[in-house]
Amino acid sequence: MEQTKTPREPPAMSRGTGIAYAIGLPLGLLGLIFVPAGTIAWWPGWVFLAVLISAFGVSALVIARINPIIFRARSRFQQGTKGWDKALLAVILPAMVAILPVAALDAGRFHWSAVPFWALLRVTSPCWRASR
């Protein structure tokens, strides 16, 4: 009969690492958005950051409360992480990070794909989506 291993609970993140994440990630986002945009006064960037940080914060708190073991396990690489997971992350993570400065260069500084404000409001309005 095959014996299954009981999964070990991953160690908690150190306090210093947690503080570094809590300070470093928002500062990194500020740099990725406002440096390419050319101004700190670009209001769509602030709206994006507020929504992103709020959503990540709420989801992290919910997951940490509901299943802290999964939260700890998924917050960093663990022993036994498959090679293809690392390779996939090595491709996807830079692509996801590159989206932010390219979007800020476009919308905040160069306006390569200028979209009228009324079109933005129409696409994002619930009435427009309901009529489709």
Side-chain angles (χ1 to χ4, degrees), residues 8 28 35 37 76 83 106 115 122:
R8 292 181 318 157
V35 170
R76 58 198 175 279
D106 176 11
V115 176
R122 179 171 180 178

Side-chain angles (χ1 to χ4, degrees), residues 53-110:
I53 291 171
S54 298
F56 279 152
V58 168
S59 67
L61 289 173
V62 168
I63 292 170
R65 183 174 173 109
I66 291 174
N67 196 337
I69 295 171
I70 291 293
F71 178 75
R72 283 190 218 142
R74 303 255 170 110
S75 65
R76 58 198 175 279
F77 285 118
Q78 303 292 325
Q79 270 188 326
T81 299
K82 305 279 188 228
W84 59 268
D85 274 341
K86 293 178 183 177
L88 190 60
L89 187 61
V91 172
I92 290 175
L93 189 60
M96 289 172 50
V97 170
I99 289 171
L100 299 176
V102 170
L105 281 169
D106 176 11
R109 185 177 289 198
F110 296 120

